Amino acid sequence: MNFDDTPQEAAFRAEARKFVEENAPKELEAELSKASLGRIKLKDRNIVDVGKAWQKKKAEGGWACLSWPKEYGGRGATPIERVIWQEEEGIYGKLTSPFQIGEGMCGPTVMAYASEEHKCKYLPKLASGENIWCQLFSEPSAGSDVAGLRTRAERDGSDWIVNGQKIWTSGAHYSDYGILITRTDPTVPKHKGLTMFFLDMKSKGVEVKPIKQVSGASDFNEVFFTDVRIPDSQRLGAVGDGWNVSLTTLMNERMSIGSRIATGFPEIFAFCQNVINEDGVPAVEDRAVRAKLADWACKASGLKYTSYRSISALSRGERPGPENSIGKLVAGVMVQDIAAYAMDLEGAAGVLNDAETAETYGPFQAMLLGAPGMRIAGGTDEILRNIIAERVLGLPGDIRVDKSVPFNQIPTKGRT
Amino acid sequence: MNFEFSDDQKQLRDEARRYLAEHSSPKAVRNVLEGRAPYDKELWKGLAGMGFLGVAIPEEYGGAGAGHLELCVIAEEMGRALAPVPFSSSIYLAAEAIMLAGTADQKQKYLPGLAQGTTIGTLALFEGAGNPSQQKIATSVAQNKISGTKKPVPDGAIADIAIVVARSGSSGRETDISLYIVDLKGIGIARKDLQAVDPSRNQAEITFKDAPAEPLGKAGEGWDLLMQVLDRAAVLTAFEQVGGADRALEMGRDYALDRIAFGRPIGSFQAVKHVLADMYVSATLARSNCYYGAWALSTNAGELPEAAATARISATQAFQHCSKQNIQVHGGMGFTWEFDCHLYYRRSNALALGLGSQSYWEDALIDRMRRKNAAA
Ligand SMILES: Cc1cc2nc3c(=O)[nH]c(=O)nc-3n(C[C@H](O)[C@H](O)[C@H](O)COP(=O)(O)OP(=O)(O)OC[C@H]3O[C@@H](n4cnc5c(N)ncnc54)[C@H](O)[C@@H]3O)c2cc1C
Ligand SMILES: Cc1cc2nc3c(=O)[nH]c(=O)nc-3n(C[C@H](O)[C@H](O)[C@H](O)COP(=O)(O)OP(=O)(O)OC[C@H]3O[C@@H](n4cnc5c(N)ncnc54)[C@H](O)[C@@H]3O)c2cc1C
């Protein structure tokens, strides 16, 4: 048990620190430190543009997609080096949000299944931020039950023709490419008839419609496919093997865990030291407030050190297990509770959501309106609990009525 | 960075687990719980023989000289097996206090006996209801004679020596407090067994009347030393709590797999699965915080006060949560004396209080975090 950097790790940290100091967009430091969870709003600049510029600099310096092999634009870094980098990158890490799906999920899937030619063509541009990728999995009738998806791909010579609809696709409106899971055979049980592709989002027949979400922002979209042609060479994995390919995507999501999950704790801790209560003292002086803060402090710290344990396991060559599902499960609820609690401490003025009028009004309100999405995106709280119960604790799977039925015979209507 | 116990430490854990599974069975725990013995003497001797008691005590004082990470490993297994012995009082409290503040002579005099289990030690801090506070210390010392009443004293009826927190001055400040070693078999001692929520561990009242007291550490530094001892014991106790939490989770999981209702294992109902998943979450968070505490303890890091409070709060939550939900998963059976669920429920609630209650540690954690922030 050892927290100290080895000499190599210390050297790596020094190099990372120097790079960040010399290259990070310092002019955004104040704004980024204040930007709370959910959406990062910069006053005069578009987060995607700023993010791309930072990503490009990182790629030039060899600091992009650290765990990827060098030949695809990465650095071949160890899991611990990735954590060190994240620590040193600090608040500028917030600028990487448009690339996270590409780095953590799309890229590794392409790496595992695409031809060498395609890997060399697409991955370095993903790493350098020149291209942004999105994940086209969920559909109106297939979210938690993603294997129930209906978007069809039909073979036509050396192409596939895709028709259907995806939904909740984060970043589709600024993405250049996407990985897309489709149904290629509806006559076999649902997990067996799926096939994965990647496609150019500018392909003819792709239409992206932003969805306005609770927070008022539009980070995700509906994506419609009308006779979209995808060359067979862009298929990822065998025909009918799309479910297994999608599991690779999700496994890689776990590999890319870091110590960066947002919990809202630093924000509420700082807030409680500043906000003055009815007794004329900072809220943190109040025993009841302290009890809440201590509980959240322990959760945040527990998550941090759980990720350190996972990283140590990864470093020893062990595979990351489903136990990492606890991160988002704990953090999502926590952010939501913290937001409501901070607003409670603000009293009636907690209702105000106007960043212009006062310092305190705004960040927690934004958290409040963003948190519900955290508890749904990438696996709902309930699905995460099922995963822990079944894969970690070994409890029986849910009784599934549709598992071995041909997909096209599964009922699609409830009461008629 | 490496955030995991070493292979040797894991081997020690397996060894301790095997030993305790055999010698600290639920039957052995019940023997003490049901009042047939004040503690399990055979087990105590066996643990000494295995070298577990003195694992962190230096070799020159009769211990194994391994270190605190090894002691954390043993503590977890003690918690898992609900070992009905005065391990925490004698080792986390008495031996730690003497290692921290004792003179070479005192170490030579007491540590070998503590390591071999021939001396049982404890800490006599509390004087009735309330959390650690120097204002509550009325027990006082004059001319190395101590008088006052301490309760509850963990393992107070079976201990041979006690580290006693007492008042040696009258300025009203923390510097009035000093620590003393008192021979509980000597003169001026009256002891009384007390009933407790967890009868598998002894609690007693001790009245001192001009009992001879030997200073431990400098006069006036007692409160500061006590805080250090409590932090160290908090990390070690947190490992016990995590061991207990894990076992309660396993019991619940196993029962859910075996028990059939409505024609299915109850573990196939989501309501039950989600209860167990939440138990896993709290046990995992606590374990990770404990590892951080173990690192801070073993390296005597400046982060220890904060890490200890974090581990303590998190482990208290986890053990209480897992032990109570374990009963819930067991349905009516969980509410019987016969099933072992209540042994964990009792222990979890006793461990939650022994070093100061949850609200005390919550307060301490936030204080410590603020101080660190202010210093930064
Ligand atoms: C902010 C955000 C960003 C997203 N980004 C993307 C993206 O980039 N790409 C993408 O493909 N998708 C994305 N999604 C979609 C996301 O993966 C789905 O919303 C999610 O999987 C839930 O599916 P659903 O919305 O269809 O809800 P449903 O699956 O219909 O769930 C509704 C409710 O039923 C519960 N439920 C469903 N099944 C079970 C079960 N078996 N057991 C117990 N409870 C159950 C759920 O927990 C939930 O409470 C995003 C979603 C959000 C909110
Ligand atoms: C103090 C006490 C007094 C009692 N007095 C009486 C009495 O006077 N007369 C009498 O007849 N009975 C009595 N009972 C029995 C009581 O009704 C049962 O204990 C209770 O119905 C639970 O059944 P069980 O113990 O078999 O647990 P189980 O049914 O085995 O339940 C075990 C666990 O599985 C969960 N579970 C079971 N089925 C489902 C499901 N379908 N969905 C989700 N979760 C599920 C339960 O919630 C529980 O957590 C008493 C019990 C107690 C504790």
Side-chain angles (χ1 to χ4, degrees), chain B residues 28-338:
Chain B
V29 178
R30 283 168 180 272
N31 208 35
V32 176
L33 179 86
E34 288 165 6
R36 287 185 290 277
Y39 72 103
D40 190 327
K41 288 188 184 146
E42 282 311 307
L43 173 62
W44 187 242
K45 271 192 210 141
L47 292 169
M50 294 294 287
F52 293 161
L53 301 187
V55 74
I57 294 176
E59 275 173 294
E60 51 177 325
Y61 300 120
H68 280 89
L69 290 178
E70 285 74 9
L71 184 52
C72 289
V73 166
I74 305 283
E76 180 180 339
E77 296 310 316
M78 296 292 225
R80 194 183 165 80
L82 301 175
V85 289
F87 188 68
S88 52
S89 310
S90 204
I91 304 302
Y92 316 160
L93 294 169
E96 286 297 327
I98 292 169
M99 285 197 280
L100 195 67
T103 60
D105 281 351
Q106 285 174 323
K107 290 180 186 168
Q108 199 58 65
K109 182 171 167 195
Y110 295 108
L111 291 177
L114 292 169
Q116 275 133 44
T118 48
T119 304
I120 294 173
T122 188
L123 174 76
L125 163 63
F126 297 105
E127 302 186 12
N131 277 310
S133 148
Q134 62 97 2
Q135 273 110 348
K136 296 208 175 209
I137 306 293
T139 297
S140 65
V141 171
Q143 276 101 45
N144 287 337
K145 295 247 162 47
I146 194 163
S147 295
T149 298
K150 294 285 186 179
K151 89 167 171 193
V153 181
D155 300 304
I158 55 184
D160 303 298
I161 59 165
I163 312 297
V164 187
V165 183
R167 189 165 290 283
S168 56
S170 54
S171 70
R173 286 194 295 270
E174 268 177 19
T175 48
D176 290 344
I177 306 294
S178 304
L179 300 186
Y180 297 87
I181 305 177
V182 178
D183 178 359
L184 297 178
K185 302 233 161 107
I187 51 164
I189 309 285
R191 308 200 230 185
K192 196 165 92 191
D193 264 329
L194 301 175
Q195 297 295 316
V197 163
D198 177 17
S200 69
R201 294 294 305 279
N202 174 257
Q203 301 288 343
E205 177 184 286
I206 305 183
T207 302
F208 303 90
K209 200 159 174 246
D210 291 330
E214 172 186 340
L216 175 67
K218 291 208 187 82
E221 289 181 2
W223 197 254
D224 185 47
L225 285 171
L226 173 70
M227 293 297 111
Q228 294 181 55
V229 171
L230 290 183
D231 282 351
R232 302 174 81 77
V235 173
L236 295 163
T237 306
F239 271 91
E240 278 201 14
Q241 291 169 305
V242 162
D246 262 12
R247 182 64 199 129
L249 168 58
E250 273 172 30
M251 289 165 72
R253 193 260 326 262
D254 290 349
Y255 190 78
L257 284 170
D258 294 337
R259 167 75 173 167
I260 303 285
F262 303 96
R264 301 157 55 170
I266 56 167
S268 69
F269 296 117
Q270 277 197 2
V272 173
K273 283 160 86 164
H274 289 192
V275 163
L276 289 161
D278 286 341
M279 288 160 74
Y280 173 81
V281 169
S282 53
T284 302
L285 293 175
R287 175 173 296 279
S288 301
N289 281 323
C290 278
Y291 281 22
Y292 178 50
W295 165 80
L297 175 64
S298 67
T299 55
N300 222 345
E303 289 90 340
L304 180 58
E306 195 185 321
T310 305
R312 165 80 186 166
I313 295 167
S314 194
T316 294
Q317 273 177 357
F319 195 11
Q320 287 185 319
H321 176 210
C322 289
S323 67
K324 94 180 161 196
Q325 293 299 61
N326 181 36
I327 295 183
Q328 185 64 20
V329 168
H330 276 74
M333 283 301 181
F335 193 56
T336 63
W337 188 267
E338 186 190 339

Side-chain angles (χ1 to χ4, degrees), chain A residues 3-320:
Chain A
F3 261 113
D4 303 328
D5 289 342
T6 62
Q8 295 95 303
E9 286 162 8
F12 180 90
R13 187 183 296 281
E15 208 187 320
R17 184 165 299 176
K18 183 157 176 276
F19 179 83
V20 173
E21 247 160 47
E22 288 171 0
N23 295 282
K26 287 275 163 56
E27 67 280 8
L28 299 175
E29 190 177 344
E31 261 183 301
L32 284 175
S33 329
K34 263 198 290 174
S36 81
L37 300 162
R39 193 174 159 79
I40 309 163
K41 264 199 208 120
L42 298 174
K43 235 187 172 143
D44 323 304
R45 310 203 27 208
N46 180 327
I47 171 86
V48 177
D49 296 339
V50 182
K52 279 192 166 189
W54 176 227
Q55 191 72 14
K56 182 157 182 270
K57 267 197 189 159
K58 279 160 62 176
E60 284 161 6
W63 297 100
C65 296
L66 258 73
S67 56
W68 289 17
K70 281 198 182 123
E71 62 265 38
Y72 304 134
R75 191 187 177 93
T78 65
I80 289 178
E81 286 172 341
R82 202 179 52 231
V83 174
I84 295 175
W85 165 258
Q86 288 181 355
E87 286 169 1
E88 296 304 323
E89 189 181 20
I91 51 163
Y92 302 106
K94 292 181 186 178
L95 294 174
T96 62
S97 61
F99 312 103
Q100 270 166 9
I101 289 174
E103 173 176 356
M105 316 233 277
C106 306
T109 311
V110 168
M111 223 176 286
Y113 292 99
S115 67
E116 194 54 40
E117 188 197 331
H118 279 156
K119 289 195 248 187
C120 293
K121 179 169 173 197
Y122 295 105
L123 292 175
K125 287 188 180 169
L126 194 172
S128 68
E130 190 178 334
N131 292 156
I132 296 182
W133 286 58
C134 63
Q135 183 198 8
L136 299 146
F137 283 18
S138 303
E139 297 187 7
S141 65
S144 301
D145 180 20
V146 70
L149 61 91
R150 306 187 159 269
T151 294
R152 283 283 276 133
E154 284 165 303
R155 186 94 195 213
D156 181 38
S158 62
D159 286 346
W160 293 81
I161 298 180
V162 178
N163 281 288
Q165 183 200 343
K166 295 288 171 180
I167 195 169
W168 321 126
T169 318
S170 300
H173 53 305
Y174 51 67
S175 287
D176 304 287
Y177 296 91
I179 57 173
L180 170 71
I181 186 161
T182 63
R183 185 162 305 278
T184 42
D185 186 355
T187 67
V188 293
K190 64 180 190 176
H191 291 92
K192 302 221 159 79
L194 304 175
T195 303
M196 187 81 78
F197 299 93
F198 71 88
L199 89 162
D200 187 334
M201 290 297 283
K202 285 172 218 75
S203 306
K204 190 160 168 273
V206 176
E207 192 192 351
V208 177
K209 282 195 188 158
I211 302 172
K212 190 167 178 178
Q213 60 219 29
V214 168
S215 60
S218 295
D219 299 317
F220 57 28
N221 307 269
E222 288 181 292
V223 182
F224 296 91
F225 298 85
T226 314
D227 292 330
V228 176
R229 275 186 181 271
I230 302 180
D232 186 55
S233 63
Q234 292 182 195
R235 174 164 45 80
L236 296 170
V239 176
D241 204 30
W243 183 248
N244 283 323
V245 177
S246 78
L247 294 182
T248 313
T249 313
L250 299 174
M251 225 261 303
N252 271 288
E253 190 180 16
R254 287 191 207 128
M255 299 273 266
S256 67
I257 39 135
S259 47
R260 236 176 351 195
I261 190 155
T263 60
F265 180 72
E267 289 87 346
I268 186 83
F269 188 54
F271 176 68
C272 288
Q273 297 186 74
N274 294 329
V275 69
I276 303 297
N277 69 14
E278 306 80 74
D279 301 327
V281 294
V284 70
E285 305 285 343
D286 180 341
R287 273 307 264 266
V289 173
R290 286 169 168 239
K292 291 262 190 196
L293 288 176
D295 177 38
W296 288 320
C298 291
K299 289 201 167 82
S301 148
L303 286 184
K304 175 172 166 192
Y305 297 117
T306 299
S307 80
Y308 279 24
R309 284 170 59 205
S310 305
I311 286 151
S312 296
L314 273 179
S315 309
R316 288 193 304 273
E318 289 166 28
R319 297 215 142 226

Side-chain angles (χ1 to χ4, degrees), chain A residues 403-415:
Chain A
K403 204 172 175 187
S404 41
V405 185
F407 183 73
N408 56 11
Q409 288 170 32
I410 296 173
T412 54
K413 273 207 188 108
R415 290 194 294 183

